[in-house]
Amino acid sequence: MKAEFKSMLAFGKGIDAGDIETYFPDDPEVFAFGLQILAGAIGEEGKETFDLFVVSPKWILFNSEEKIFMGRHYLIMLNYNLDRLKNFIVSYVESCTGDTWQEVTEKLGRLGKWEFEDYQEYRPTDS
């Protein structure tokens, strides 16, 4: 089974209705925004979301009060470049393969938080 990139949406200050195509940071060396990647199994209609933050090292430097910063689900770019970002995301997503969709999502989850990460089915208790 192989992942297929479907689309991506951005969110944060200066981003209009999730449109990454029209976003450009005030300073291409100091930026941070959320990005939602939509991916699914190749050839299938369904898609699931993977959320991450795209940040620059200078943004980290200026915004980490404790001078400690955890990097899970953060993608770090030296300078903002939409084409480079899109190429990286598409290449990464489409490199994720596995015997099952669960195996594929574990690899995709290294990039962004999978919408079903830590999901546990509700099971009512006998009381």
mmCIF file of all heavy atoms in Angstrom, residues 68-97:
data_model
loop_
_atom_site.group_PDB
_atom_site.id
_atom_site.type_symbol
_atom_site.label_atom_id
_atom_site.label_comp_id
_atom_site.label_asym_id
_atom_site.label_seq_id
_atom_site.Cartn_x
_atom_site.Cartn_y
_atom_site.Cartn_z
ATOM 1 N N ILE A 68 14.225 26.284 25.325
ATOM 2 C CA ILE A 68 14.046 24.852 25.102
ATOM 3 C C ILE A 68 12.870 24.711 24.153
ATOM 4 O O ILE A 68 11.839 25.345 24.334
ATOM 5 C CB ILE A 68 13.760 24.102 26.420
ATOM 6 C CG1 ILE A 68 14.957 24.223 27.364
ATOM 7 C CG2 ILE A 68 13.428 22.638 26.135
ATOM 8 C CD1 ILE A 68 14.702 23.666 28.743
ATOM 9 N N PHE A 69 13.002 23.867 23.157
ATOM 10 C CA PHE A 69 11.979 23.759 22.128
ATOM 11 C C PHE A 69 11.847 22.311 21.707
ATOM 12 O O PHE A 69 12.840 21.686 21.343
ATOM 13 C CB PHE A 69 12.394 24.630 20.935
ATOM 14 C CG PHE A 69 11.340 24.793 19.896
ATOM 15 C CD1 PHE A 69 10.352 25.744 20.038
ATOM 16 C CD2 PHE A 69 11.342 23.990 18.777
ATOM 17 C CE1 PHE A 69 9.384 25.900 19.068
ATOM 18 C CE2 PHE A 69 10.384 24.133 17.806
ATOM 19 C CZ PHE A 69 9.398 25.103 17.955
ATOM 20 N N MET A 70 10.637 21.770 21.799
ATOM 21 C CA MET A 70 10.408 20.399 21.328
ATOM 22 C C MET A 70 10.039 20.452 19.847
ATOM 23 O O MET A 70 9.298 21.334 19.427
ATOM 24 C CB MET A 70 9.294 19.738 22.135
ATOM 25 C CG MET A 70 9.704 19.461 23.561
ATOM 26 S SD MET A 70 8.473 18.556 24.485
ATOM 27 C CE MET A 70 8.450 17.010 23.604
ATOM 28 N N GLY A 71 10.510 19.484 19.078
ATOM 29 C CA GLY A 71 10.332 19.559 17.640
ATOM 30 C C GLY A 71 9.385 18.567 17.005
ATOM 31 O O GLY A 71 9.345 18.468 15.789
ATOM 32 N N ARG A 72 8.618 17.830 17.790
ATOM 33 C CA ARG A 72 7.716 16.856 17.163
ATOM 34 C C ARG A 72 6.649 17.575 16.343
ATOM 35 O O ARG A 72 6.004 18.497 16.813
ATOM 36 C CB ARG A 72 7.057 15.989 18.230
ATOM 37 C CG ARG A 72 6.240 14.881 17.603
ATOM 38 C CD ARG A 72 5.938 13.786 18.595
ATOM 39 N NE ARG A 72 5.382 12.663 17.882
ATOM 40 C CZ ARG A 72 4.218 12.114 18.186
ATOM 41 N NH1 ARG A 72 3.526 12.559 19.200
ATOM 42 N NH2 ARG A 72 3.767 11.109 17.477
ATOM 43 N N HIS A 73 6.473 17.153 15.126
ATOM 44 C CA HIS A 73 5.505 17.714 14.186
ATOM 45 C C HIS A 73 5.814 19.163 13.820
ATOM 46 O O HIS A 73 4.926 19.949 13.541
ATOM 47 C CB HIS A 73 4.062 17.546 14.688
ATOM 48 C CG HIS A 73 3.697 16.123 14.894
ATOM 49 N ND1 HIS A 73 2.948 15.712 15.944
ATOM 50 C CD2 HIS A 73 4.010 15.000 14.203
ATOM 51 C CE1 HIS A 73 2.794 14.395 15.887
ATOM 52 N NE2 HIS A 73 3.444 13.946 14.832
ATOM 53 N N TYR A 74 7.090 19.491 13.821
ATOM 54 C CA TYR A 74 7.570 20.781 13.331
ATOM 55 C C TYR A 74 8.462 20.513 12.131
ATOM 56 O O TYR A 74 9.318 19.620 12.170
ATOM 57 C CB TYR A 74 8.379 21.525 14.400
ATOM 58 C CG TYR A 74 7.528 22.232 15.414
ATOM 59 C CD1 TYR A 74 6.901 21.523 16.435
ATOM 60 C CD2 TYR A 74 7.331 23.602 15.349
ATOM 61 C CE1 TYR A 74 6.114 22.163 17.370
ATOM 62 C CE2 TYR A 74 6.542 24.250 16.283
ATOM 63 C CZ TYR A 74 5.941 23.523 17.290
ATOM 64 O OH TYR A 74 5.153 24.167 18.204
ATOM 65 N N LEU A 75 8.263 21.278 11.084
ATOM 66 C CA LEU A 75 9.106 21.203 9.901
ATOM 67 C C LEU A 75 9.878 22.518 9.858
ATOM 68 O O LEU A 75 9.270 23.591 9.874
ATOM 69 C CB LEU A 75 8.247 21.026 8.646
ATOM 70 C CG LEU A 75 8.966 20.770 7.335
ATOM 71 C CD1 LEU A 75 9.804 19.502 7.414
ATOM 72 C CD2 LEU A 75 7.974 20.661 6.200
ATOM 73 N N ILE A 76 11.187 22.445 9.828
ATOM 74 C CA ILE A 76 12.015 23.636 9.929
ATOM 75 C C ILE A 76 12.622 23.970 8.567
ATOM 76 O O ILE A 76 13.282 23.131 7.955
ATOM 77 C CB ILE A 76 13.122 23.428 10.982
ATOM 78 C CG1 ILE A 76 12.469 23.078 12.332
ATOM 79 C CG2 ILE A 76 14.002 24.665 11.093
ATOM 80 C CD1 ILE A 76 13.422 22.534 13.359
ATOM 81 N N MET A 77 12.376 25.212 8.131
ATOM 82 C CA MET A 77 12.905 25.720 6.859
ATOM 83 C C MET A 77 13.754 26.946 7.142
ATOM 84 O O MET A 77 13.311 27.831 7.889
ATOM 85 C CB MET A 77 11.771 26.157 5.923
ATOM 86 C CG MET A 77 10.849 25.084 5.443
ATOM 87 S SD MET A 77 9.613 25.757 4.278
ATOM 88 C CE MET A 77 10.619 26.074 2.835
ATOM 89 N N LEU A 78 14.918 27.043 6.538
ATOM 90 C CA LEU A 78 15.761 28.220 6.747
ATOM 91 C C LEU A 78 15.117 29.482 6.191
ATOM 92 O O LEU A 78 15.143 30.529 6.824
ATOM 93 C CB LEU A 78 17.140 28.021 6.105
ATOM 94 C CG LEU A 78 17.998 26.918 6.714
ATOM 95 C CD1 LEU A 78 19.307 26.788 5.946
ATOM 96 C CD2 LEU A 78 18.254 27.194 8.180
ATOM 97 N N ASN A 79 14.541 29.382 4.997
ATOM 98 C CA ASN A 79 13.875 30.504 4.324
ATOM 99 C C ASN A 79 12.583 29.993 3.720
ATOM 100 O O ASN A 79 12.535 28.871 3.218
ATOM 101 C CB ASN A 79 14.740 31.074 3.195
ATOM 102 C CG ASN A 79 16.036 31.639 3.687
ATOM 103 O OD1 ASN A 79 16.041 32.588 4.455
ATOM 104 N ND2 ASN A 79 17.143 31.047 3.270
ATOM 105 N N TYR A 80 11.568 30.841 3.717
ATOM 106 C CA TYR A 80 10.285 30.433 3.151
ATOM 107 C C TYR A 80 10.387 30.326 1.636
ATOM 108 O O TYR A 80 10.822 31.257 0.949
ATOM 109 C CB TYR A 80 9.185 31.430 3.523
ATOM 110 C CG TYR A 80 7.843 30.986 3.017
ATOM 111 C CD1 TYR A 80 7.146 29.981 3.668
ATOM 112 C CD2 TYR A 80 7.282 31.546 1.878
ATOM 113 C CE1 TYR A 80 5.923 29.538 3.205
ATOM 114 C CE2 TYR A 80 6.050 31.118 1.405
ATOM 115 C CZ TYR A 80 5.387 30.114 2.074
ATOM 116 O OH TYR A 80 4.177 29.684 1.600
ATOM 117 N N ASN A 81 9.991 29.162 1.123
ATOM 118 C CA ASN A 81 9.953 28.926 -0.309
ATOM 119 C C ASN A 81 8.838 27.916 -0.556
ATOM 120 O O ASN A 81 8.993 26.727 -0.254
ATOM 121 C CB ASN A 81 11.304 28.389 -0.792
ATOM 122 C CG ASN A 81 11.334 28.136 -2.276
ATOM 123 O OD1 ASN A 81 10.487 27.432 -2.824
ATOM 124 N ND2 ASN A 81 12.332 28.697 -2.944
ATOM 125 N N LEU A 82 7.718 28.383 -1.089
ATOM 126 C CA LEU A 82 6.542 27.531 -1.253
ATOM 127 C C LEU A 82 6.816 26.340 -2.160
ATOM 128 O O LEU A 82 6.419 25.219 -1.843
ATOM 129 C CB LEU A 82 5.355 28.339 -1.777
ATOM 130 C CG LEU A 82 4.068 27.565 -2.004
ATOM 131 C CD1 LEU A 82 3.595 26.881 -0.718
ATOM 132 C CD2 LEU A 82 2.986 28.473 -2.568
ATOM 133 N N ASP A 83 7.495 26.541 -3.263
ATOM 134 C CA ASP A 83 7.771 25.416 -4.170
ATOM 135 C C ASP A 83 8.616 24.349 -3.484
ATOM 136 O O ASP A 83 8.339 23.155 -3.606
ATOM 137 C CB ASP A 83 8.477 25.897 -5.441
ATOM 138 C CG ASP A 83 7.549 26.686 -6.344
ATOM 139 O OD1 ASP A 83 6.315 26.478 -6.270
ATOM 140 O OD2 ASP A 83 8.050 27.521 -7.130
ATOM 141 N N ARG A 84 9.639 24.769 -2.750
ATOM 142 C CA ARG A 84 10.486 23.813 -2.038
ATOM 143 C C ARG A 84 9.674 23.067 -0.985
ATOM 144 O O ARG A 84 9.812 21.856 -0.826
ATOM 145 C CB ARG A 84 11.672 24.540 -1.389
ATOM 146 C CG ARG A 84 12.709 23.588 -0.848
ATOM 147 C CD ARG A 84 13.932 24.299 -0.287
ATOM 148 N NE ARG A 84 14.444 25.309 -1.184
ATOM 149 C CZ ARG A 84 14.813 26.538 -0.782
ATOM 150 N NH1 ARG A 84 14.729 26.883 0.476
ATOM 151 N NH2 ARG A 84 15.278 27.403 -1.644
ATOM 152 N N LEU A 85 8.805 23.789 -0.269
ATOM 153 C CA LEU A 85 7.957 23.169 0.750
ATOM 154 C C LEU A 85 7.027 22.136 0.118
ATOM 155 O O LEU A 85 6.936 20.998 0.591
ATOM 156 C CB LEU A 85 7.150 24.235 1.487
ATOM 157 C CG LEU A 85 6.142 23.729 2.509
ATOM 158 C CD1 LEU A 85 6.833 22.979 3.641
ATOM 159 C CD2 LEU A 85 5.328 24.898 3.058
ATOM 160 N N LYS A 86 6.341 22.507 -0.946
ATOM 161 C CA LYS A 86 5.416 21.579 -1.603
ATOM 162 C C LYS A 86 6.142 20.347 -2.132
ATOM 163 O O LYS A 86 5.674 19.225 -1.967
ATOM 164 C CB LYS A 86 4.660 22.286 -2.736
ATOM 165 C CG LYS A 86 3.621 23.227 -2.191
ATOM 166 C CD LYS A 86 2.765 24.011 -3.141
ATOM 167 C CE LYS A 86 2.816 23.975 -4.555
ATOM 168 N NZ LYS A 86 1.920 24.863 -5.285
ATOM 169 N N ASN A 87 7.294 20.551 -2.749
ATOM 170 C CA ASN A 87 8.056 19.419 -3.281
ATOM 171 C C ASN A 87 8.477 18.469 -2.169
ATOM 172 O O ASN A 87 8.409 17.248 -2.330
ATOM 173 C CB ASN A 87 9.277 19.906 -4.060
ATOM 174 C CG ASN A 87 8.911 20.543 -5.378
ATOM 175 O OD1 ASN A 87 7.843 20.306 -5.931
ATOM 176 N ND2 ASN A 87 9.786 21.390 -5.879
ATOM 177 N N PHE A 88 8.915 19.021 -1.035
ATOM 178 C CA PHE A 88 9.316 18.183 0.085
ATOM 179 C C PHE A 88 8.134 17.371 0.613
ATOM 180 O O PHE A 88 8.247 16.158 0.812
ATOM 181 C CB PHE A 88 9.911 19.035 1.218
ATOM 182 C CG PHE A 88 10.269 18.214 2.421
ATOM 183 C CD1 PHE A 88 11.496 17.587 2.497
ATOM 184 C CD2 PHE A 88 9.372 18.048 3.466
ATOM 185 C CE1 PHE A 88 11.825 16.803 3.604
ATOM 186 C CE2 PHE A 88 9.685 17.265 4.572
ATOM 187 C CZ PHE A 88 10.916 16.646 4.639
ATOM 188 N N ILE A 89 6.989 18.049 0.824
ATOM 189 C CA ILE A 89 5.801 17.383 1.377
ATOM 190 C C ILE A 89 5.331 16.268 0.439
ATOM 191 O O ILE A 89 5.101 15.140 0.865
ATOM 192 C CB ILE A 89 4.657 18.389 1.626
ATOM 193 C CG1 ILE A 89 5.061 19.439 2.655
ATOM 194 C CG2 ILE A 89 3.360 17.683 1.997
ATOM 195 C CD1 ILE A 89 5.127 18.982 4.072
ATOM 196 N N VAL A 90 5.159 16.582 -0.824
ATOM 197 C CA VAL A 90 4.680 15.584 -1.788
ATOM 198 C C VAL A 90 5.645 14.405 -1.860
ATOM 199 O O VAL A 90 5.234 13.240 -1.827
ATOM 200 C CB VAL A 90 4.453 16.206 -3.184
ATOM 201 C CG1 VAL A 90 4.178 15.129 -4.228
ATOM 202 C CG2 VAL A 90 3.307 17.213 -3.136
ATOM 203 N N SER A 91 6.928 14.680 -1.933
ATOM 204 C CA SER A 91 7.926 13.615 -2.002
ATOM 205 C C SER A 91 7.881 12.735 -0.755
ATOM 206 O O SER A 91 7.927 11.498 -0.860
ATOM 207 C CB SER A 91 9.317 14.229 -2.176
ATOM 208 O OG SER A 91 10.298 13.233 -2.189
ATOM 209 N N TYR A 92 7.787 13.362 0.424
ATOM 210 C CA TYR A 92 7.746 12.584 1.660
ATOM 211 C C TYR A 92 6.493 11.712 1.706
ATOM 212 O O TYR A 92 6.576 10.512 1.964
ATOM 213 C CB TYR A 92 7.811 13.477 2.894
ATOM 214 C CG TYR A 92 7.847 12.649 4.153
ATOM 215 C CD1 TYR A 92 9.046 12.170 4.640
ATOM 216 C CD2 TYR A 92 6.674 12.282 4.811
ATOM 217 C CE1 TYR A 92 9.091 11.347 5.762
ATOM 218 C CE2 TYR A 92 6.707 11.468 5.934
ATOM 219 C CZ TYR A 92 7.914 11.011 6.400
ATOM 220 O OH TYR A 92 7.950 10.193 7.500
ATOM 221 N N VAL A 93 5.337 12.319 1.449
ATOM 222 C CA VAL A 93 4.075 11.568 1.510
ATOM 223 C C VAL A 93 4.114 10.388 0.557
ATOM 224 O O VAL A 93 3.781 9.264 0.928
ATOM 225 C CB VAL A 93 2.863 12.486 1.213
ATOM 226 C CG1 VAL A 93 1.595 11.674 0.986
ATOM 227 C CG2 VAL A 93 2.664 13.493 2.347
ATOM 228 N N GLU A 94 4.532 10.626 -0.659
ATOM 229 C CA GLU A 94 4.490 9.572 -1.666
ATOM 230 C C GLU A 94 5.588 8.526 -1.487
ATOM 231 O O GLU A 94 5.565 7.491 -2.137
ATOM 232 C CB GLU A 94 4.464 10.197 -3.052
ATOM 233 C CG GLU A 94 3.151 10.965 -3.228
ATOM 234 C CD GLU A 94 2.921 11.576 -4.593
ATOM 235 O OE1 GLU A 94 3.844 11.574 -5.443
ATOM 236 O OE2 GLU A 94 1.794 12.060 -4.802
ATOM 237 N N SER A 95 6.515 8.755 -0.554
ATOM 238 C CA SER A 95 7.527 7.746 -0.234
ATOM 239 C C SER A 95 7.047 6.783 0.858
ATOM 240 O O SER A 95 7.702 5.772 1.112
ATOM 241 C CB SER A 95 8.826 8.416 0.223
ATOM 242 O OG SER A 95 8.708 8.923 1.542
ATOM 243 N N CYS A 96 5.909 7.095 1.478
ATOM 244 C CA CYS A 96 5.407 6.273 2.586
ATOM 245 C C CYS A 96 4.637 5.072 2.049
ATOM 246 O O CYS A 96 3.632 5.220 1.350
ATOM 247 C CB CYS A 96 4.523 7.108 3.511
ATOM 248 S SG CYS A 96 5.440 8.397 4.382
ATOM 249 N N THR A 97 5.121 3.890 2.387
ATOM 250 C CA THR A 97 4.499 2.644 1.964
ATOM 251 C C THR A 97 4.409 1.696 3.148
ATOM 252 O O THR A 97 5.065 1.891 4.172
ATOM 253 C CB THR A 97 5.320 1.966 0.848
ATOM 254 O OG1 THR A 97 6.610 1.642 1.361
ATOM 255 C CG2 THR A 97 5.450 2.853 -0.374
#
